[in-house]
Amino acid sequence: PTAPDGVDTDKPSAARIYDWYLGGTHNWAVDREFGKRAVQLWPGMPAMARQNRAFMNRVVQAALDAGIRQFIDLGSGVPTVGNVHEIIRRRVPEGEDATVVYVDYEPVAAAHSTVILEKDEATDWAGLVQRDLRDPDAIFEDDTTRALIDFAEPVCVMLIAVMHFIGPHDQPAQIVERYRSHVAPGSWLAISHASIENAPEDDTAGVRQMIANYRNTSNPMWLRDRAEFAPWFGDWTMLDPGITRLPDWRPDEEPDDDIRKASVFGWGGVAEKPQP
């Protein structure tokens, strides 16, 4: 595709690599080459990306069914291939409104997001905030967030396949707690995270090497066990079926063999903020 102004196409971008895993078109040769090498190390990577996207889709649908009409997608990457605003457009009943704020600090993701939202004629109810999710207060105070999100009403906050890019030195638990404390009762928090806990030993070596390769991008990765990220939900009420492998969270179809095999490399869950 044509590169938006200011976008570096000489270095691989995690957002564009993820787009390539999903079969998207907002990527360049450097991203595809990195992605192909990652797949050589671990063939399950595209399936892992697809199951994260499917998990996100089901979370958005469930939140809409529960009456939530505001969404914040943190670390959204390139909003294409079945992203939040597309689901809202399909699922929200005629005559009702919903809003979504995409948040990503990478210029490449911000540039592509702006172009996509303009092309989809969604800019009056979906916006891009170019901020770092590690700075929640800056996101809350951003003009786009203030225009689209009413924090006195429930919000669905999503951290899908992004917290494994937040290292321990960034104090991830405190970051998530800040988001929890800022939203109204009835809000949802959805998190998915990469893990090799209980994964077959034959596959973990390739995953570890792939993770090591990500250290050469602008987005190093960290793997965590279920017990490490479960406390991020705090005292919120876990929604059924709790923290599960991603295909097992309220499935709407039987996962194929590739998805099922990749499912052991991630955890996900959704919780609701209780009434005071």
Side-chain angles (χ1 to χ4, degrees):
T2 301
D5 292 340
V7 170
D8 181 4
T9 59
D10 294 326
K11 185 176 182 179
S13 155
R16 297 193 312 244
I17 296 165
Y18 194 75
D19 178 67
W20 179 78
Y21 291 147
L22 291 170
T25 59
H26 294 269
N27 51 76
W28 280 266
V30 65
D31 310 303
R32 295 188 287 273
E33 184 63 25
F34 184 97
K36 290 173 184 176
R37 293 180 180 179
V39 171
Q40 287 175 348
L41 291 170
W42 183 47
M45 188 61 226
M48 186 69 187
R50 294 202 317 273
Q51 73 172 0
N52 268 289
R53 183 52 49 94
F55 171 67
M56 182 199 73
N57 289 356
R58 296 195 303 275
V59 169
V60 173
Q61 292 170 17
L64 289 171
D65 290 344
I68 293 177
R69 293 294 182 267
Q70 303 184 113
F71 297 83
I72 299 178
D73 186 359
L74 296 161
S76 55
V78 179
T80 187
V81 192
N83 219 301
V84 181
H85 72 280
E86 297 175 348
I87 302 167
I88 289 174
R89 178 166 273 163
R90 292 195 306 266
R91 299 276 299 197
V92 171
E94 187 175 353
E96 296 187 21
D97 296 322
T99 58
V100 55
V101 169
Y102 293 114
V103 179
D104 205 294
Y105 80 100
E106 286 193 332
V108 60
H112 295 317
S113 300
T114 300
V115 170
I116 290 167
L117 294 176
E118 290 174 351
K119 182 179 178 181
D120 288 351
E121 299 181 348
T123 53
D124 56 338
W125 54 273
L128 184 283
V129 171
Q130 188 177 346
R131 301 279 188 179
D132 192 321
L133 70 84
R134 292 170 292 188
D135 189 358
D137 290 324
I139 294 169
F140 301 149
E141 295 302 319
D142 189 274
D143 289 344
T144 297
T145 307
R146 292 167 67 91
L148 293 174
I149 302 295
D150 178 2
F151 285 103
E153 298 295 328
V155 183
C156 180
V157 178
M158 293 179 292
L159 289 157
I160 307 299
V162 67
M163 289 303 292
H164 42 241
F165 294 116
I166 305 299
H169 55 284
D170 289 315
Q171 300 183 313
Q174 286 84 346
I175 292 171
V176 180
E177 193 281 330
R178 183 69 186 107
Y179 289 107
R180 293 201 319 269
S181 67
H182 195 74
V183 297
S187 294
W188 285 18
L189 172 65
I191 308 175
S192 69
H193 200 291
S195 175
I196 58 173
E197 184 179 14
N198 301 327
E201 187 63 32
D202 291 345
D203 292 330
T204 58
V207 173
R208 290 181 186 277
Q209 183 58 54
M210 184 192 70
I211 297 299
N213 285 356
Y214 264 90
R215 300 296 168 92
N216 298 321
T217 75
S218 57
N219 307 99
M221 289 183 69
W222 282 263
L223 299 169
R224 294 182 175 94
D225 292 347
R226 182 184 188 278
E228 292 180 83
F229 96 102
W232 295 350
F233 292 102
D235 61 354
W236 286 25
T237 303
M238 294 302 305
L239 300 181
D240 289 337
I243 296 174
T244 67
R245 299 303 187 182
L246 300 184
D248 298 326
W249 196 90
R250 303 190 184 184
D252 52 15
E253 62 182 10
E254 184 66 26
D256 62 31
D257 290 343
D258 288 341
I259 293 293
R260 178 53 67 188
K261 186 175 181 180
S263 69
V264 297
F265 292 95
W267 294 103
V270 183
E272 181 176 18
K273 186 170 186 175
Q275 298 296 324

